[in-house]
Amino acid sequence: MLEESTGNFSATRNVYDWYQTATHVILNIMIKNLKESDVKVKLIDETLDVSCSLADGNEFKLHFNLFKSIYVSESNWTVSPSKLEV
């Protein structure tokens, strides 16, 4: 897993967490007040890329190399007032 961020986040602050069930992996990115237009999620084979444009003009990015292939057609993401969930 590779993580990159140009956002203004403390190194000690957990900006994201994840959990896994028998059939799904869920990623929560705790950034408040995102709009769907601020978010880009790219799922290809065994990679997940997330990019969020922040209110201060910075960009938050995550890149994951996953263990198995993603069922892209069955994947989704949602934006709520407190987080992005993939």
Side-chain angles (χ1 to χ4, degrees), residues 13-76:
R13 181 176 168 213
N14 289 330
V15 177
Y16 69 90
D17 67 8
W18 67 277
Y19 61 96
Q20 182 174 346
T21 69
T23 59
H24 292 81
V25 174
I26 294 87
L27 170 67
N28 292 302
I29 301 172
M30 278 60 92
I31 300 175
K32 293 182 180 182
N33 302 319
L34 284 175
K35 295 178 254 169
E36 283 192 32
S37 60
D38 296 332
V39 176
K40 293 178 186 170
V41 177
K42 187 175 179 182
L43 301 161
I44 299 175
D45 297 326
E46 296 172 358
T47 62
L48 165 64
D49 289 297
V50 178
S51 175
C52 302
S53 298
L54 305 176
D56 65 2
N58 287 314
E59 191 166 351
F60 178 80
K61 294 182 180 183
L62 288 174
H63 171 83
F64 293 94
N65 291 317
L66 303 171
F67 177 69
K68 290 192 173 189
S69 294
I70 301 167
Y71 295 112
V72 175
S73 63
E74 297 177 20
S75 301
N76 60 39

